[in-house]
Amino acid sequence: MMYEFTIIVPVYNEEDNLERVEKELLAYTKIATRKTAILFVNDGSSDKSQELIEAICQRNDAFSYVLFKENRGLSAAIKAGFDHVETELLGYIDSDLQTAPEDFNLLLEHIGDYDLVTGVRADRKDSFVKNMSSKIANGIRRAFTHDGMDDTGCPLKVIKTDYAKRIPMFRGLHRFLPAMIMLQHGKVLQIPVRHFPRIAGKAKFGLWNRLLGPLMDCFAYLWMKKKYINYEVKEKG
């Protein structure tokens, strides 16, 4: 079956969420504006996530998975997704489903004219501390990258796959995806999307991950920006 769009779903100890992930993503594939496949990337879960993922993939042709030998972090999981996707377009959503798969259709409306379209979480359903730390981290990141993005932590994105595969990922770089597309002279856009409270499982990021970690990553980004190699082939003979 020829798919046009693959949704990457990083998973780390999300056994309580995976039944709902299957239900909602399967429902989305029936209304998606592009023929859609789902790729789980299991980041070395220590619970029953892999057992559930394998069962999901066995009963749904559109679902497949990659399993890490050990936990390597969210950026590594996203990078593995980029490496294994074969469709023209790819998307990304967190397995906690605090964003709605249906909103991928909003992003896909614009991907023809842009190379990355990212969601902006409207009316966020997170704690005060989480919201404030994210706002501060986004402000710091914008000051370093000038990417103009209000919410790069939003776990709902659509990217043209050839751009995604050229991103030289490092730990923490998932927060800089729009900036890395812009380094390739790509065009980026942000679209408001819905946001929901986490129903099950536990958040994987604390204050360090949301605030101090991203500040350190900004310096890594500046180094990469200075060293980044970008070229376009005019012709081949």
Side-chain angles (χ1 to χ4, degrees):
M1 188 176 294
M2 296 298 294
Y3 295 102
E4 303 170 88
F5 177 47
T6 302
I7 298 174
I8 299 165
V9 187
V11 176
Y12 180 62
N13 292 344
E14 292 286 0
E15 62 180 6
D16 294 332
N17 276 316
L18 286 171
E19 182 178 346
R20 190 165 64 96
V21 169
E22 176 189 15
K23 180 180 178 180
E24 295 202 17
L25 287 177
L26 186 61
Y28 173 69
T29 63
K30 300 181 187 306
I31 64 166
T33 55
R34 305 289 184 105
K35 192 67 176 177
T36 300
I38 314 298
L39 176 62
F40 290 110
V41 181
N42 186 348
D43 183 22
S45 296
S46 58
D47 63 0
K48 295 182 179 179
S49 291
Q50 183 59 24
E51 178 182 335
L52 295 170
I53 288 171
E54 291 182 18
I56 291 169
C57 293
Q58 286 176 0
R59 57 181 174 257
N60 298 290
D61 291 339
F63 288 67
S64 60
Y65 70 86
V66 172
L67 171 62
F68 282 5
K69 286 185 176 180
E70 58 187 357
N71 176 243
R72 303 302 295 173
L74 180 57
S75 289
I78 294 173
K79 169 62 172 169
F82 291 173
D83 290 343
H84 287 83
V85 163
E86 298 179 354
T87 52
E88 179 183 1
L89 299 172
L90 61 83
Y92 156 52
I93 190 170
D94 277 353
S95 50
D96 60 19
L97 290 184
Q98 287 191 256
T99 48
E102 294 88 346
D103 286 348
F104 274 122
N105 284 347
L106 299 176
L107 308 188
L108 287 167
E109 286 182 22
H110 302 277
I111 196 62
D113 296 324
Y114 293 87
D115 304 299
L116 176 147
V117 183
T118 182
V120 178
R121 291 168 287 190
D123 189 23
R124 286 186 62 175
K125 307 298 184 181
D126 288 323
S127 67
F128 175 79
V129 171
K130 186 174 181 180
N131 283 335
M132 288 305 299
S133 61
S134 293
K135 287 182 179 180
I136 294 170
N138 276 303
I140 294 171
R141 189 209 67 260
R142 281 196 303 271
F144 276 82
T145 65
H146 305 289
D147 61 8
M149 298 289 104
D150 296 316
D151 184 18
T152 60
C154 178
L156 198 74
K157 293 177 173 62
V158 173
I159 313 174
K160 290 179 178 175
T161 300
D162 57 346
Y163 279 82
K165 287 183 179 291
R166 290 195 295 264
I167 296 175
M169 294 286 284
F170 61 81
R171 189 182 299 273
L173 193 62
H174 61 275
R175 304 180 184 95
F176 295 83
L177 293 177
M180 295 307 299
I181 298 299
M182 293 171 67
L183 282 185
Q184 301 178 46
H185 306 302
K187 296 172 63 179
V188 302
L189 178 70
Q190 54 185 1
I191 299 290
V193 297
R194 294 170 293 167
H195 190 247
F196 305 93
R198 175 182 268 271
I199 294 176
K202 296 181 180 179
K204 307 303 187 296
F205 294 97
L207 182 61
W208 169 265
N209 302 97
R210 297 193 189 100
L211 190 56
L212 300 180
L215 175 60
M216 296 175 63
D217 293 339
C218 284
F219 293 100
Y221 167 79
L222 290 181
W223 178 88
M224 181 172 290
K225 181 178 180 180
K226 183 178 180 180
K227 302 291 185 180
Y228 187 74
I229 295 173
N230 196 29
Y231 67 89
E232 295 181 31
V233 174
K234 182 177 181 180
E235 62 180 69
K236 296 190 292 184

